[in-house]
Structure formats: C-alpha cells, structure tokens
Amino acid sequence: MANIAKKVSWSGKNDETRGERTPLLNGSEEVRYNRQVPGLSCLCHEQSLLLSLSLCPALLEMQDPVRSRPKEIPHNEKLLSLKYESLDYDNSENQLFLEEERRMSHMGFRCLEISRWVICGLIGVFTGLIACFIDIVVEKLAGVKYSVVKKNIEMFTEVGGLSISLLLWVVLNSAFVMVGAIIVTCFEPIAAGSGIPQIKCYLNGVKVPRVVRLKTLVVKVCGVICSVAGGLAVGKEGPMIHSGAVVAAGVSQGRSTSLKKDFKIFEYFRRDTEKRDFVSAGAAAGVSAAFGAPVGGVLFSLEEGASFWNQMLTWRIFFASMISTFTLNLVLSVYHNKTTELSSPGLINFGTFDLECVQYSLYEIPLFICMGAIGGLLGALFNLLNYWLTIFRIRYVHRPCLQVMEAMMVAAVTASVSFAMIYLSNDCKPLKMDNSEEYPLQLFCADGEYNAMATTFFNTPERSVRSLFHNPRGTYNLLTLGFFTLTYFFLACWTYGLMVSAGVFIPSLLIGAAWGRLFGIWADPGKYALMGAAAQLGGIVRMTLSLTVILVEATGNVTYGFPIMLVLMTAKIVGDYFIEGLYDIHIKLQSVPFLHWEAPATSHWLTAREVMSSPVTCFNQLEKVGTIMDFLSNTATNHNGFPVIVQASGEQVGKLCGLILRSQLIVLLKHKVFVERAHSRLHQRKLQLKDFRDAYPRFPPIQSIHVSQDERECMMDLSEFMNPTPYTVPQETSLPRVFKLFRALGLRHLVVVDDVNKVVGLVTRKDLARYHMGKHGLEELHLAQM
Amino acid sequence: MGVFVNYACLFRLLLWANALTFITAVNIASDATELSGDRALNRPSSFISVPHAFQPDSFRQFLTLGLSDAFPEDMEGTENCLELLSIFGQRYVTLANCLVSYARPVKVCQNCYTDYNNFENIYKNISSDQSGPGNVSCQDSLLWSDRLMLLPSLYSGLRDIWESAACTNCLTAYQMNLSNETLNFLAKLNQSLICFDKYQQGNHSELCKKCKTAYKQLDELYSKMEGNKTLCIDIEDAMNMTRQLWSKNCSSPRKEMVPVIAVSSFMLFLPIIFYLSNYLHSEQKKRKLIHPKRAKSSHSLMNIQDKFS
C-alpha cells in the first residue's frame, strides 16, 4: 500500500486540477473553503434543516459540521450525475397492494397474462411500422437529393463548373442536417446519438430523464431521416432500438402523458417493473426490425439489459421481435409491389451470399483471427479519438447554436471530401445491365463506364455496404478502397456524438467492409468484406453474443457463424486491452450511475458502513405533514426513499419498520390523506393503488402541492403505504455482496441497520456505482450537479 | 415392350445426332472459308442450302435400314414425325449458323430473327399435342421418350441465348420485323460512324467538334431506350463500341482541379477555425461537485487503506 495517494480518484487529468484535488470523502482536512460563491446558502439551509430535525438524532451527531462550497471542475468521465435516479424494479408490497391482489380473481390474472401478449404484439407492429416509415422516407429523400446532384454534375462535367455541383451538394447536405440538428437540440437533446447507451442505462435500471417519451420518439424519427438523407456517415439502425423502446414504453402504458390522452387500458402495467420488461421487448423489436434479426434482438436485450429474466418473458420478447420483423417485411414488400415475396426482413439488407462462396477453408481461420485483431485495434483507435472529441464537445461545444453549426459543418465537410475523392479518382468500371448501383456517376470516365469511388460515397451508407459485400471481384481497385477506408474512418469518428440522431452500426460496417475487401482483394472479396465489417463493428461496440447472431441472421448464413464468432472474440479481446466499448465510454461520459455485472474486483474489504450514505432522513410511522413537506421541498437533498421508523418508548432512535418513496408521499400529500381528515370525512373513498398508478410516471413536483398552515399540523399515517419489508443488510456486509443484491433484485434503496434494527445508513445506486477499477486499482467517482 | 420402344427411339436419335454433328461441322468449315471473303450485311447464300445427306428421303432410308424392321408397329405414326424431325434439324443448323456468323460484332437480333421464328415454329409444331395420321403424337415419340431428351435441350439452349440477348426488345410484336425505334437507332448509329470515319484521319479535336451533335443525339436516344427497356444486345454492343471510340478520342479533361480543391480545402479549414474559436472563446463547462453525507467513522478510501496497510 505504498502508493496510497494514487488510489483515490482525482478531479482531472492534468496537473493544475490535480493541484486542487480533494479526496471526495476526506472532508475536514483538505476541503478548501471559498465563501464568495453563491450556493453556499442552500447548503447552510440544509444544515440548519438537518439540525432542526429530531428524527435520527444519534446520526445527526455524526454529521460533520463542515460547510464546504461546491467545487467546480471541468467535465470528465469520473463523475456521477445527480440527475439520474433509479427505477423501482422491486415491488412495494404494501397494504394496498395486498388488498388489490386479494380482490383480483383468477380470471383477472389470466387477462393480465393475455394483455401482456397483446402488448408485445402491438410493440412489434408499431416498431415495424416506424422502421418502414423511416426506410421509405429516407429512400425518397435521398433519391431526390442524389438525382438532383447527379443531374447537376452531369450538366457541368463537360462545360466546366463542377465546383458549383460541389457547392450544391454541400448546401443540400447541410440543409438536411441543419433541420435534424435543430429539432434535436431545441426539442429533445436526449434524442441525439444512437440511443443505445441510453437504452442500455434504462435496462440497467437507471431512470434516464425523458428517454422514453413520445416527443423523443418523434424527434428521433425525424432526426434520423434528416441525418441519413443529409449524407452524414451514419446509419438508421441504432435509433431503431431506441424507437422500439419508446414504443414499448408508450404502448404498455395505454396512454400518452404528452398528448394528455388516456385510453384507460393496461392500467395494471403502470409501474417501473412492468414498464422495464416491456422496454426490453421494445429494444429487441427495434434490433429485429433494423437487421431482420429476431433472435439477435432477443439476445441483445439479454446481453444489455436483463438482470431479471425468465423463460416466459424471453418467449414474449421473441414474439415481439418476430412480429416486428414480419410487419416490416410485409409492409415493405407491399410498398415494393412484391406482396407475396416477403423479401426484406430488415432495414439493412446484407443480401444473400452466393452458395459457392459460402464456404471457407481451414487456412482462412487464422486470417479471420488476424482480421479480428485489426478490427480490435482500429476500433480502439476509433473509440479513443471519439472519447477525446466527446470530452471536448461536452466542455466547449455546449451551446445549442454551436451544436447545430458543428453538425452542419460536418455535413459540409463530408460532402466536400466525398466530392474531392470522387473527382480525383481514376477508378472506372464498365456499367452492367444488372447493375445494382442506383446512382452511377460517370464524371471523367469513358461513356458507358462509371466511377467506382462514387458507388461508395455517392450513395446511402446501407447501399454502399451492400455493394462492398456483393459486387464481384475487381469492382474496386486497391487505391479506391484504401482512400475510402481512411476518409470514412475519420468522418464516422467525427460524426458520432454530434447532436443529431444517428447510429454507428452502419458506418462501422462500412469501414470494416472496405478494409476487409482490401484485405481479401486477392481472393473472394465479399467474404472478407463481411469479416472485416464484423471485426470493425465488434472492435467499436464490443458486443459479443448478440452481434454474432445479428450478423449471422442479417446475412442469412449460418455457415459463417463460427468465423464471425472468432472475429468478434478477437476484436473484443484486443480492443478491451486498450479502451472500453464506444457505448460504455458514452455512458461514462454522461456520468450515469451504471452498475456493471460484477462489483469491482478488489472491493471485498469495503463494507456497507463505508459505502452507505449517512445520516439518513427517516420518518416516523405517524409523521407531521409539515415535517414531510419541509423535507421534500428541500432542494439540496433530493432523496427519494425514506426509511420509516417506530419510536419505542424509552429509546432515542426508532427501529426500522418500512420504507416509503418520495413519489408515494407526493401522492399522499396531493390527496391529503391525513389522519385528522380521515376521521372527519369518512364518506370519502379510500386511496387505492390506482391513484398511484395514475400519477405515474410523472409525479408532480413537491412545489405544486399546496398545504395550508393548518394542514401542516396534521399527521400522516404511513404504515398502510410504506413497503413494510424493505431489504436490509448489516453494516459489515461487503461491497460485492451489496452489489449482488442490487444487481439481482433491481433494488433502489438498501437500508443498512445495526444489530438492533436501527437505521444506520442507506445504500443507493450512486453509492455503488462510485467504485470502479481504474488504472491504479480501485477508484472513486465524484458526485456532481449537472 | 415399352422398354423396347424407348431403346429404339434412343438409338435412332443417336444415329441422327451423329449425322447432324458431322454435317454441321462440315458446314461450318466450308462457311468459314466463304465468310472470310464476304463480311457484308447480307447473309451468305450458301447458308440456306441444305446438304445432300440431309434430304428427308435418304434420311428415312438410312433409318429403315437399321432398326425399323425390328419394330414394325412403331413406325406407323412416325412418317410424319420424322418429317418434322428433319425440318427441325435443318432449321437448327440454319439458326446456329446465323448466330455464329453474327457473333462479333453482335448483330444477331437484326439478322437471325426470321431463322429464330422458323426454328421456334417447328418446335412448337412438334410439341403441340395434335397427333398425326397414325394416332401417335410426335410430342411423345420425339421429345420425351428417352433419357437424353435431345430436342428439348437443343431448343432450350438456343432459346436461352435468344432470351439473354433480349432480342424481343428490338423487334415488333411476334418478332416479325425490327421495331421502328431500332431502325431509327441504327440509322443514327450509321450517321455517327460515317462521321467518325470521315474525320478519323485528321486531328481528333476536329472529330470531336464535328461529330458531337450526331454522337450526342445517338447517346440521348440510347439513354431514352435504356429507360424504356427497349435495348437488345445488338444496340448495346453497337453503343458500347461507339462510346469507346468516342471516349478514346474525346474524353473531357479534368480542367477544374484548382477550384474544386480550393472549395474542398476551404471546407476542411472551417472545422479547425470552429474548434479553435470554441476552445478559446467558449466558456468551459464546469461541474459542481457535491459532497455526499457519509458516516464519520469512515472518511474515505484512503483511511480505510491506511487502516489495512
């Protein structure tokens, strides 16, 4: 333990921040005071409040009377944001719940089960329809754009003035992207990016604000259309997963809070537990619509989100996935006038590989592994560059107008670089009758030939992927592929993280397919393009099982299962040596309290006593309304769970008897369920679980609830509403044990008690997510306000 | 008995096929010599003439000599069928000859459609179900009675060629004539070629200037036909040749290198300015750290570690 100082995490990377480092918890000695800063007052307020309380006096004595100002540091990845809260996966088995269960008949439970299936079917249908909509609109818009530019280029090729075509292309791209960026930045910033990190967090149990709202869905869909039509190096597959999740969250609730429309159906499912299960089905349906990979979708949900999994849920999710891909297939085949063929199961269609090139021989396996390693290296480089860029963006490019400008600029540069590449390329190939190229550009090629560089750049990315997979040998020459890989790598890396909705799947596939084709230019290029695509994608996102299955399903080819698995495995091993996967990086940079599968490896010596927050704000079973109001309105302590205690006579501290949530208290206050009133108004109906569900998921803020001075003196009886059996652990429980409880049960609050069942502290998600393995052993993250 | 019939037919056909290949070989050899001298558009007359050995009568004689004695009752209906068979043979040879002789440059659609029509007709006759004088249908005896099924495979071979050439696109309905569009195209093509020929000798810039209108018209027409899907192999090939000829002489040069590069590099320059100015002028986003409440007994990781070390 020589290097102790290093084991604590520091605020920043560079030396100047290290100078003012402060170990987070080591308050009294090292914290610097600076009283000029506003924000102090609220903390004073907090202190006075805490001191005025007499609920857990023993704990209050422990409280350090230090008044520290909030220290400000630049954003980095070692922070936890306060704005994220946990989902309540654990069911609160209070009296109301038991009553409702007693009232419900056997038939009622049957109906619930059936409606779960109906919801999953609906999720599939709507997700599929959204996928169709995106696909068709993108195709139309891109078609218009490319034909206009193509016509313009043809017009100017001979007479001169191609720089005008270049400008036209730049302006068109920027215009599309501007629309996309404006709707994202102004209406719903959470819709930016692929949405997979956010859904991952949601499935992990983090309540990401506004992530599953209808508005987000609308912005996401329009944003994706704009950014793909705007020619950015992006795909529309990642956002499909987010869209599916939003659809699931919306459909399962039977109402839209944004539209103020309540269909009065599926009311039973209005709580986090059920919603989260449906969201995992929605994510699976999204994957399945994006890639035509229903099994891959199920496995994606399993891999990313499911700590809670059972066979029936899996089966339902599979059902939703299947319905989603079938709907997409059906609608698209009707749209393409091939009603009976059902030939487009996914948004991206990798096309089928010819039977004769399906085989691979034994000597190729080392080659594939080698490609996996290259993919891992390139993926790590991609992630590293994107990591730096994202930090820069968060620190400096945070004003909406700047973000829109940045997106437009990327679009303009993408167009001009593509144009320059096409212009300078000498790779001409003869046109064929059965040509798959939609917009062949001739430019300076001889008549009847087309520019091969243009097939990769002057096309939507999905089509480019397909031509790289399937165009016969000799379609591209070495130089074309090399330059394409290089430019697209940097463009894609630059593009991911812009304030537009866009995914990273297709660009990665495209980069990988290009260098894979380069790798296999001496042999059968399509096969190597596929392996390269798998390697690159695996190196960037580091998904394993689900990605293998997705790729196998998308190519419709089980024979390649083994090599794809090898490639992805190698890519992950090599990439993980350098840096994490792209989604994990972005989750970290958003300061989300994300719980991984396991607690950090060397954390067994940490016990619940060190981990927990203390002192805890507790309520008596019979509590004064005024006290509750004061607690809840305190902005400095935004607690969500409050242990409820009973005061035995003669003892100073009460024993734990339950746990109540802020949301429950708010509903109680709103309905004014006070002891005094209950006596006076016997005729009023009793509060039911339904009242809590109606307020879900957007419980009104405490400020909106008005309590008169008289009412402040009333008492509230919490015993009926609290969770009477909260999970507790003794103080000596080790961190991994606590972690396991959290991960496996989906807990939100875990009460730490001493040997006589008195509340000592409270462990929440943020307390656990603080610890992570850094370069120098166990490190601790800071909490920060955002 | 059925087995016998089968074998009989098979044997007969084998013999006939041998004869046919032999004859074709002779034919092509003789044509080759003739062709070399005469490459004009009109077809060499010798192609139509059917060699002596192929006269139906002698053919039948040749057959009866061999096997028909063994299966007297089988021969009742075959008179008619044998007739059909021999016609099929003739027309096959004619068509094959025609195709081969117009293989390069491709002009098969323009020149062979009559032959193809004849060939198809006879096959249809054979395969139509009407039975001849003795109530045996030729379809059964000629087409399907053996494992080899020579006639159908011969037919489908040529039909596939015809279909992949997409000749129907250039012909009128029922393939009776060249379509007007095709004729129009051929006329335009001729114009261009004449023009090319005329200026071939001089310097190329003159050719490019003088023939441009003709060529452009041709190109436009071609694009239009491409859109209408009225292209057949003849037209495609002719156009390809013409385009190559044209592009060899008059490809448009890359004359705007400087403006394109300038605009592109200006675009590339933008982000540098953008990020630099953001770095210098934009206010860096700071995060306020929050100090969580902790139990006093355990201040930090550091203390714990001290305790343990």
Side-chain angles (χ1 to χ4, degrees):
Chain A
M1 291 283 167
N3 234 343
I4 289 164
K6 275 191 175 168
K7 301 214 166 173
V8 189
S9 75
W10 312 115
S11 47
K13 281 201 158 183
N14 34 11
D15 283 335
E16 60 203 57
T17 40
R18 187 168 284 190
E20 53 174 17
R21 73 200 175 185
T22 308
L24 179 58
L25 307 170
N26 203 357
S28 48
E29 296 88 22
E30 279 194 38
V31 172
R32 299 178 179 188
Y33 310 107
N34 189 339
R35 287 164 194 277
Q36 287 104 302
V37 177
L40 184 65
S41 56
C42 89
L43 276 170
C44 293
H45 184 56
E46 178 199 1
Q47 292 300 324
S48 59
L49 260 178
L50 278 171
L51 291 171
S52 71
L53 290 171
S54 57
L55 298 169
C56 302
L59 295 175
L60 278 178
E61 286 168 18
M62 292 178 178
Q63 176 65 29
D64 224 339
V66 168
R67 291 166 187 183
S68 54
R69 70 161 267 243
K71 203 158 64 76
E72 290 200 337
I73 57 161
H75 185 91
N76 59 42
E77 95 263 23
K78 289 177 182 169
L79 292 175
L80 286 184
S81 168
L82 279 188
K83 74 176 175 189
Y84 297 108
E85 289 165 11
S86 261
L87 295 171
D88 290 301
Y89 197 79
D90 186 36
N91 209 354
S92 169
E93 290 174 343
N94 55 16
Q95 303 239 333
L96 299 182
F97 177 77
L98 293 177
E99 260 169 49
E100 194 189 64
E101 202 176 71
R102 218 174 298 132
R103 271 203 309 274
M104 203 143 47
S105 61
H106 181 65
M107 203 56 208
F109 282 106
R110 249 320 139 69
C111 286
L112 275 185
E113 196 54 33
I114 292 171
S115 45
R116 284 202 180 97
W117 282 94
V118 171
I119 291 173
C120 281
L122 287 176
I123 291 170
V125 170
F126 284 121
T127 310
L129 288 179
I130 287 175
C132 289
F133 175 74
I134 293 179
D135 193 50
I136 291 171
V137 177
V138 163
E139 207 165 286
K140 286 273 175 234
L141 284 180
V144 169
K145 187 187 89 177
Y146 284 120
S147 47
V148 165
V149 176
K150 185 177 151 116
K151 214 170 276 172
N152 194 283
I153 288 178
E154 274 165 5
M155 199 166 75
F156 284 122
T157 306
E158 252 166 275
V159 293
L162 272 176
S163 41
I164 295 172
S165 317
L166 166 59
L167 285 178
L168 177 77
W169 194 2
V170 165
V171 167
L172 278 177
N173 269 9
S174 304
F176 276 121
V177 171
M178 185 177 75
V179 176
I182 284 177
I183 56 175
V184 169
T185 46
C186 296
F187 297 111
E188 201 54 272
I190 199 87
S194 74
I196 295 180
Q198 283 88 340
I199 295 305
K200 235 177 128 164
C201 292
Y202 189 91
L203 293 179
N204 189 266
V206 182
K207 187 178 191 170
V208 184
R210 304 193 310 280
V211 77
V212 287
R213 290 200 185 168
L214 182 65
K215 193 170 142 198
T216 313
L217 177 66
V218 173
V219 170
K220 191 113 211 169
V221 169
C222 300
V224 165
I225 290 171
C226 288
S227 49
V228 177
L232 288 177
V234 297
K236 53 193 189 291
E237 277 66 19
M240 259 328 290
I241 296 163
H242 192 173
S243 307
V246 182
V247 166
V251 168
S252 65
Q253 303 300 298
R255 69 169 167 195
S256 160
T257 326
S258 314
L259 297 180
K260 308 239 176 347
K261 183 111 184 95
D262 193 342
F263 295 101
K264 305 273 182 206
I265 44 171
F266 308 140
E267 282 171 338
Y268 184 81
F269 303 125
R270 291 176 191 174
R271 53 196 165 122
D272 280 341
T273 323
E274 300 282 351
K275 195 167 167 182
R276 187 167 152 192
D277 285 350
F278 286 120
V279 167
S280 56
V287 174
S288 134
F291 298 97
V295 182
V298 175
L299 292 176
F300 174 83
S301 279
L302 177 73
E303 193 173 316
E304 298 303 343
S307 16
F308 325 102
W309 201 262
N310 61 49
Q311 168 249 343
M312 269 326 268
L313 178 62
T314 316
W315 187 224
R316 264 204 305 275
I317 292 178
F318 185 62
F319 175 68
S321 300
M322 273 295 182
I323 293 286
S324 147
T325 177
F326 178 75
T327 310
L328 177 78
N329 204 338
L330 188 70
V331 176
L332 280 190
S333 61
V334 169
Y335 175 76
H336 294 305
N337 289 329
K338 292 181 216 156
T339 314
T340 47
E341 280 185 22
L342 297 179
S343 53
S344 40
L347 280 188
I348 169 128
N349 191 351
F350 289 158
T352 43
F353 283 80
D354 288 340
L355 275 177
E356 58 259 37
C357 70
V358 161
Q359 302 127 355
Y360 58 95
S361 25
L362 206 60
Y363 75 90
E364 286 178 307
I365 288 178
L367 288 178
F368 291 151
I369 291 177
C370 182
M371 289 179 80
I374 297 174
L377 284 175
L378 286 178
L381 180 65
F382 186 99
N383 292 359
L384 192 67
L385 293 177
N386 195 267
Y387 166 74
W388 287 336
L389 189 62
T390 310
I391 284 204
F392 183 87
R393 276 178 180 148
I394 293 175
R395 286 188 187 168
Y396 294 103
V397 193
H398 46 78
R399 299 223 311 274
C401 59
L402 288 180
Q403 286 167 339
V404 173
M405 265 170 67
E406 193 192 10
M408 285 172 66
M409 213 172 52
V410 174
V413 170
T414 308
S416 44
V417 167
S418 312
F419 191 91
M421 295 301 254
I422 295 173
Y423 187 88
L424 298 175
S425 163
N426 276 326
D427 190 3
C428 293
K429 297 287 180 243
L431 276 170
K432 295 189 193 84
M433 278 310 280
D434 55 339
N435 219 313
S436 55
E437 313 307 335
E438 198 118 328
Y439 320 104
L441 268 187
Q442 182 188 357
L443 226 63
F444 302 111
C445 290
D447 287 359
E449 293 188 336
Y450 67 92
N451 189 313
M453 187 67 101
T455 58
T456 50
F457 274 120
F458 196 69
N459 225 333
T460 52
E462 283 95 26
R463 282 188 195 284
S464 309
V465 172
R466 215 178 320 162
S467 34
L468 282 174
F469 280 169
H470 293 296
N471 280 1
R473 200 173 159 182
T475 312
Y476 304 97
N477 69 21
L478 220 73
L479 225 53
T480 309
L481 287 174
F483 273 116
F484 176 76
T485 310
L486 202 67
T487 37
Y488 215 79
F489 182 86
F490 289 108
L491 282 178
C493 186
W494 189 22
T495 310
Y496 190 76
L498 283 179
M499 282 305 266
V500 292
S501 333
V504 76
F505 267 92
I506 296 298
S508 327
L509 285 174
L510 199 46
I511 298 166
W515 66 254
R517 216 178 153 101
L518 199 63
F519 194 92
I521 207 156
W522 48 274
D524 169 37
K527 180 165 59 186
Y528 285 90
L530 176 66
M531 292 305 153
Q536 184 67 54
L537 188 54
I540 290 175
V541 302
R542 309 284 162 75
M543 282 151 62
T544 48
L545 171 63
S546 55
L547 192 55
T548 313
V549 177
I550 287 172
L551 287 175
V552 166
E553 281 186 290
T555 50
N557 198 323
V558 187
T559 324
Y560 284 152
F562 179 68
I564 287 179
M565 184 197 74
L566 280 183
V567 160
L568 287 176
M569 230 176 207
T570 332
K572 184 169 167 62
I573 291 169
V574 172
D576 279 346
Y577 182 77
F578 297 101
I579 193 169
E580 289 166 285
L582 188 64
Y583 297 140
D584 293 319
I585 290 175
H586 277 258
I587 286 173
K588 259 191 180 173
L589 285 175
Q590 283 163 11
S591 315
V592 181
F594 189 87
L595 295 186
H596 293 274
W597 293 107
E598 300 276 339
T602 58
S603 58
H604 284 270
W605 53 272
L606 272 168
T607 61
R609 191 187 296 116
E610 281 97 36
V611 172
M612 69 190 186
S613 307
S614 174
V616 186
T617 315
C618 307
F619 288 131
N620 280 314
Q621 208 172 19
L622 209 63
E623 186 61 77
K624 232 170 84 181
V625 174
T627 325
I628 295 178
M629 279 304 287
D630 288 341
F631 258 124
L632 293 186
S633 4
N634 183 359
T635 46
T637 57
N638 191 23
H639 298 320
N640 279 293
F642 303 92
V644 181
I645 53 176
V646 275
Q647 209 89 4
S649 56
E651 274 187 67
Q652 272 199 317
V653 189
K655 290 184 176 171
L656 177 74
C657 68
L659 184 84
I660 195 150
L661 299 174
R662 168 182 286 259
S663 57
Q664 290 174 314
L665 287 174
I666 286 180
V667 174
L668 293 180
L669 286 170
K670 202 173 134 203
H671 288 88
K672 306 212 186 294
V673 190
F674 307 144
V675 178
E676 285 78 3
R677 292 202 162 211
H679 294 309
S680 62
R681 291 193 293 173
L682 276 171
H683 60 278
Q684 215 189 14
R685 78 182 174 85
K686 245 180 115 209
L687 207 61
Q688 285 180 349
L689 217 50
K690 185 176 177 302
D691 299 297
F692 291 95
R693 287 197 197 118
D694 282 345
Y696 178 84
R698 291 183 221 175
F699 297 102
I702 186 70
Q703 287 78 14
S704 71
I705 289 167
H706 299 288
V707 176
S708 67
Q709 207 58 42
D710 289 345
E711 283 168 337
R712 281 180 70 89
E713 296 304 316
C714 292
M715 301 298 274
M716 257 165 82
D717 185 6
L718 303 178
S719 58
E720 205 180 336
F721 308 105
M722 69 188 184
N723 181 5
T725 52
Y727 291 95
T728 58
V729 287
Q731 297 178 62
E732 281 71 35
T733 321
S734 69
L735 173 67
R737 202 165 264 265
V738 174
F739 197 97
K740 228 169 256 167
L741 271 179
F742 256 78
R743 195 75 171 87
L745 297 172
L747 293 184
R748 187 170 179 187
H749 301 101
L750 183 64
V751 186
V752 182
V753 292
D754 63 3
D755 45 0
V756 289
N757 206 23
K758 283 178 195 160
V759 178
V760 185
L762 196 66
V763 180
T764 59
R765 173 177 280 270
K766 277 169 209 133
D767 298 319
L768 293 178
R770 286 186 299 157
Y771 300 99
H772 80 122
M773 281 306 282
K775 287 220 172 67
H776 312 290
L778 202 60
E779 291 181 355
E780 212 181 307
L781 305 177
H782 298 252
L783 282 178
Q785 191 126 39
M786 302 202 177
Chain B
M1 192 62 215
V3 177
F4 271 104
V5 173
N6 270 350
Y7 279 146
C9 284
L10 175 65
F11 192 69
R12 240 162 20 214
L13 278 174
L14 272 177
L15 278 179
W16 179 81
N18 274 339
L20 183 68
T21 39
F22 167 72
I23 291 156
T24 322
V26 169
N27 236 350
I28 288 174
S30 66
D31 288 340
T33 48
E34 279 173 78
L35 256 174
S36 57
D38 180 11
R39 276 210 167 216
L41 276 173
N42 58 344
R43 191 178 343 162
S45 55
S46 65
F47 269 58
I48 313 165
S49 70
V50 177
H52 175 71
F54 227 66
Q55 294 302 319
D57 290 331
S58 57
F59 187 57
R60 203 173 304 136
Q61 229 169 6
F62 164 70
L63 265 181
T64 36
L65 255 177
L67 281 165
S68 57
D69 294 341
F71 318 105
E73 70 273 53
D74 190 38
M75 287 312 293
E76 278 175 41
T78 50
E79 288 287 312
N80 182 38
C81 292
L82 284 179
E83 190 101 13
L84 285 175
L85 187 62
S86 71
I87 299 173
F88 180 88
Q90 287 165 30
R91 293 193 178 168
Y92 184 88
V93 171
T94 330
L95 179 58
N97 269 333
C98 177
L99 291 178
V100 170
S101 49
Y102 291 108
R104 244 7 275 181
V106 189
K107 283 173 183 169
V108 287
C109 296
Q110 300 163 55
N111 297 305
C112 305
Y113 63 92
T114 21
D115 292 341
Y116 183 78
N117 286 342
N118 293 338
F119 174 67
E120 204 169 28
N121 285 340
I122 189 67
Y123 187 78
K124 272 185 191 146
N125 270 353
I126 294 175
S127 59
S128 68
D129 217 14
Q130 48 185 303
S131 44
N135 52 19
V136 178
S137 81
C138 296
Q139 188 188 13
D140 291 340
S141 65
L142 291 185
L143 299 186
W144 316 115
S145 52
D146 58 88
R147 179 170 66 84
L148 198 59
M149 296 198 284
L150 195 68
L151 263 61
S153 63
L154 285 177
Y155 170 72
S156 72
L158 285 188
R159 193 196 51 201
D160 288 349
I161 291 173
W162 195 252
E163 271 170 10
S164 67
C167 288
T168 37
N169 289 345
C170 293
L171 300 170
T172 53
Y174 304 113
Q175 313 199 7
M176 297 311 287
N177 238 325
L178 284 177
S179 67
N180 284 339
E181 217 166 6
T182 313
L183 290 173
N184 188 13
F185 178 84
L186 288 178
K188 284 252 165 63
L189 179 72
N190 229 11
Q191 242 174 25
S192 295
L193 288 180
I194 289 168
C195 178
F196 283 3
D197 264 354
K198 201 160 117 198
Y199 295 100
Q200 193 73 58
Q201 267 32 31
N203 68 352
H204 289 166
S205 62
E206 199 176 0
L207 184 150
C208 293
K209 249 182 261 165
K210 290 276 160 65
C211 305
K212 189 167 179 179
T213 40
Y215 176 73
K216 283 292 147 194
Q217 274 173 5
L218 184 72
D219 204 45
E220 256 165 51
L221 185 67
Y222 182 80
S223 315
K224 210 180 82 190
M225 289 169 79
E226 201 172 17
N228 295 345
K229 305 239 184 273
T230 48
L231 289 184
C232 58
I233 186 71
D234 291 18
I235 296 181
E236 284 166 36
D237 185 64
M239 193 64 208
N240 267 349
M241 304 295 282
T242 323
R243 276 175 166 174
Q244 274 169 20
L245 209 60
W246 173 262
S247 303
K248 203 170 68 192
N249 298 322
C250 326
S251 57
S252 46
R254 214 164 282 192
K255 49 197 163 196
E256 299 171 79
M257 203 70 121
V258 177
V260 167
I261 298 276
V263 173
S264 301
S265 40
F266 171 73
M267 291 289 173
L268 280 177
F269 200 58
L270 277 180
I272 300 173
I273 298 172
F274 177 83
Y275 286 120
L276 213 60
S277 70
N278 264 321
Y279 180 72
L280 295 176
H281 298 299
S282 187
E283 188 191 342
Q284 196 180 145
K285 199 157 214 173
K286 300 273 189 173
R287 304 296 185 194
K288 281 194 199 116
L289 290 189
I290 307 286
H291 292 265
K293 298 180 290 177
R294 295 280 177 244
K296 198 175 188 177
S297 61
S298 52
H299 266 313
S300 73
L301 227 54
M302 209 195 255
N303 290 359
I304 304 294
Q305 286 175 350
D306 279 338
K307 202 164 69 189
F308 277 83
S309 55

